[in-house]
Amino acid sequence: MSLARRLAGLYPPAFRQRWGADLEIEIRAAGARSWPNLAVSVAAMWLHPAIWPADSRSQRHARAATTAAAVTAACSCRCRRTCGR
């Protein structure tokens, strides 16, 4: 397995299914200097599932709702710790 394939494998499954071969080609062409940017890009994609490729509008809405619920829960926990409530 090539390094480019391994790095492309870090992306969420929806990205790999849609652009897997193209991701590998781009990673290979960009070279090692692009790896820090690639790591940031991969992290951003995992943290923002609402922008992942989707097959339907309802799938995008479900992802956005899940993200909103997770952010709300995280903010609530953080507020409870800092405010003492």
Side-chain angles (χ1 to χ4, degrees):
M1 181 180 277
S2 71
L3 182 58
R5 180 171 286 177
R6 288 183 185 166
L7 291 171
L10 297 174
Y11 277 94
F15 275 81
R16 293 192 312 265
Q17 289 170 358
R18 190 167 215 174
W19 297 298
D22 291 335
L23 281 171
E24 288 181 43
I25 292 168
E26 290 296 321
I27 291 168
R28 194 174 294 119
R33 288 186 175 187
S34 69
W35 293 350
N37 189 36
L38 175 73
V40 170
S41 175
V42 167
M45 292 304 107
W46 278 105
L47 293 172
H48 301 96
I51 62 174
W52 294 359
D55 296 329
S56 68
R57 179 180 231 174
S58 64
Q59 194 176 39
R60 283 190 299 275
H61 285 267
R63 288 178 182 165
T66 302
T67 302
V71 168
T72 301
C75 290
S76 176
C77 290
R78 177 79 174 159
C79 182
R80 286 182 185 159
R81 283 189 211 145
T82 58
C83 297
R85 294 179 184 173

